[in-house]
Amino acid sequence: LDLEKMLFKLGSIGITSVLVEGGIEVADSFLRNNLVDKAIIITAPLKVGGGKGVRLKEKDLNNISRYTLGADKVIEGYARQN
């Protein structure tokens, strides 16, 4: 799937915001291709599945806010563009 082409098509029909949810591999595909403007990283106390996690770290974000949502920890911020 060509993510950049898909996002361009969505933008051409007026869709300017999408929620990417699907696990580490899906999120990392968007991050590797610099297709992220805003990130909301939710860390649950229980790890499910394999993998090392998403490569985006707090140092990659601007305007960071932190809060809890039940037992989950949330970090929200805007991605620094390379």
Side-chain angles (χ1 to χ4, degrees), residues 35-55:
L35 299 173
V36 175
D37 292 321
K38 181 178 181 180
I40 301 173
I41 304 165
I42 302 172
T43 306
L46 174 66
K47 182 177 178 180
V48 178
K52 295 181 181 177
V54 177
R55 70 177 176 88

Side-chain angles (χ1 to χ4, degrees), residues 18 23 61 64 71 76 82:
V18 295
L61 300 174
I64 296 172
E76 185 173 342
N82 298 333

Side-chain angles (χ1 to χ4, degrees), residues 1-64:
L1 177 64
D2 185 334
L3 298 174
E4 191 169 1
K5 186 176 180 179
M6 178 192 65
L7 291 174
F8 181 81
K9 177 66 175 172
L10 289 171
S12 74
I13 61 172
I15 298 172
T16 60
S17 181
V18 295
L19 169 66
V20 176
E21 185 177 14
I24 291 169
E25 290 181 24
V26 172
D28 203 46
S29 293
F30 279 83
L31 294 167
R32 272 195 320 274
N33 290 291
N34 293 318
L35 299 173
V36 175
D37 292 321
K38 181 178 181 180
I40 301 173
I41 304 165
I42 302 172
T43 306
L46 174 66
K47 182 177 178 180
V48 178
K52 295 181 181 177
V54 177
R55 70 177 176 88
L56 186 68
K57 306 293 182 209
E58 278 191 61
K59 66 180 179 63
D60 299 319
L61 300 174
N62 289 316
N63 302 323
I64 296 172

